[in-house]
Amino acid sequence: MSVISFLSKTGVHEQALRKLFKDSVAYDGPPVFDHPLYCIGFFNRSGSNLLAGYLRATPYFSGFHEQLNFNTVEKQSADWGVTSFPGFVREATERFGKGQFVHGFKASVDQLMMLQRFGIPKMYAGGLRIIHITRGDLIGQAVSYQIASQTQQWTSQQSGIGTDVDVRFDAKQVTHLVEAAQASVNGIAMFAELFDCPRLHVSYEELVKRPARVLSRVARFAGQTGADWPVVKPGIKRQASELNERFRQQYLTETRAKLL
């Protein structure tokens, strides 16, 4: 599938929100906020939660949760009495931004397209800016995804979840997840080019080894000095275990055998 065909697909979140809000999904007015819309562009298991934790500890950002997932939007909109998607974005930003903060969101490639189709960047002075995190270890990322999807333990803070699950290895699924992660990387990069969105690329590996350097780069990207940005280690911990390494080696062994 070409990257343009990939971007043209309507994701599950957009489909659900169009049904929820019907004709009240799009915004076509003047800017509401006096700052850009910042999104962490991500694919699962790329380190986005770790990056979000570092950014929330700064005096500049709040948010960067998966607040654009349709089930979250539906629940919070009902709780707040919101009847449109732009209304949800405004309410979420004002409730959690606390005035002096820039409230950001996490967004997969299909959610970025959803925001663009709904005209949400028009609500922000400066439009949309993307902090795009990727992971260099593609097999490790795919294995981590495979395990988390079975245990449903997506972060270390979800203690006790999935501990009794018999996790099964599936080489075909790992290959599929590697391809999906790469499609996401290419899709977000192309999205930024097509819609003229400034994009800062950071890697999970760099974030783990040099978080201060990553935060400094984000600060410059946001037009800040970052001088008062503390490097506060988030509460989230690395989840990889012996099982991850075993699955990784099994995948390498099986795949090499097919190729030689």
Side-chain angles (χ1 to χ4, degrees):
M1 181 186 297
S2 73
V3 67
I4 301 303
S5 297
F6 178 68
L7 289 174
S8 69
K9 293 177 62 178
T10 303
V12 294
H13 302 289
E14 181 176 345
Q15 292 174 24
L17 294 181
R18 285 186 181 276
K19 289 181 180 178
L20 175 66
F21 293 120
K22 300 194 169 38
D23 295 330
S24 299
V25 294
Y27 184 79
D28 189 17
V32 175
F33 303 106
D34 62 357
H35 59 76
L37 166 60
Y38 284 88
C39 286
I40 291 178
F42 79 106
F43 185 80
N44 283 310
R45 317 310 285 175
S46 62
S48 57
N49 286 323
L50 182 63
L51 176 60
Y54 277 115
L55 294 181
R56 284 194 297 268
T58 73
Y60 193 70
F61 288 113
S62 67
F64 294 119
H65 299 286
E66 293 188 38
Q67 207 170 2
L68 298 176
N69 289 355
F70 71 85
N71 52 342
T72 299
V73 175
E74 183 173 9
K75 181 181 184 307
Q76 293 185 334
S77 294
D79 291 344
W80 301 338
V82 170
T83 58
S84 73
F85 187 67
F88 165 80
V89 172
R90 182 167 189 163
E91 186 70 20
T93 300
E94 291 177 348
R95 278 178 177 262
F96 301 118
K98 303 177 184 177
Q100 74 272 30
F101 291 95
V102 171
H103 185 74
F105 298 87
K106 283 178 61 178
S108 58
V109 62
D110 59 307
Q111 289 172 328
L112 288 170
M113 280 301 310
M114 177 184 77
L115 292 174
Q116 190 68 31
R117 291 191 184 107
F118 290 176
I120 300 305
K122 297 177 184 177
M123 297 178 69
Y124 294 81
L128 170 64
R129 299 173 71 86
I130 303 169
I131 305 167
H132 185 191
I133 187 164
T134 66
R135 186 166 169 176
D137 180 7
L138 294 175
I139 297 173
Q141 181 178 6
V143 165
S144 178
Y145 193 135
Q146 183 172 91
I147 293 171
S149 66
Q150 294 181 56
T151 64
Q152 290 299 297
Q153 187 173 3
W154 294 99
T155 75
S156 61
Q157 294 169 329
Q158 296 173 292
S159 59
I161 297 177
T163 54
D164 58 347
V165 175
D166 181 19
V167 181
R168 298 184 180 278
F169 172 76
D170 184 336
K172 288 184 179 179
Q173 186 189 43
V174 171
T175 297
H176 169 74
L177 290 170
V178 167
E179 292 170 349
Q182 283 299 94
S184 171
V185 170
N186 295 337
I188 291 175
M190 180 63 83
F191 171 91
E193 291 280 349
L194 287 171
F195 298 105
D196 196 25
C197 298
R199 179 180 69 100
L200 175 68
H201 175 244
V202 301
S203 73
Y204 167 74
E205 288 79 8
E206 179 188 16
L207 181 63
V208 170
K209 293 179 180 178
R210 303 180 183 89
R213 180 183 295 183
V214 171
L215 285 179
S216 179
R217 292 177 59 212
V218 173
R220 291 195 300 273
F221 181 68
Q224 306 296 305
T225 65
D228 59 343
W229 286 24
V231 183
V232 178
K233 190 172 183 180
I236 191 170
K237 298 178 182 177
R238 186 171 181 267
Q239 290 180 268
S241 66
E242 178 275 333
L243 181 62
N244 294 67
E245 182 58 27
R246 179 155 55 85
F247 278 12
R248 178 190 180 85
Q249 291 304 318
Q250 187 172 347
Y251 179 79
L252 290 172
T253 300
E254 291 185 13
T255 306
R256 285 169 181 161
K258 291 178 181 178
L259 295 173
L260 298 177

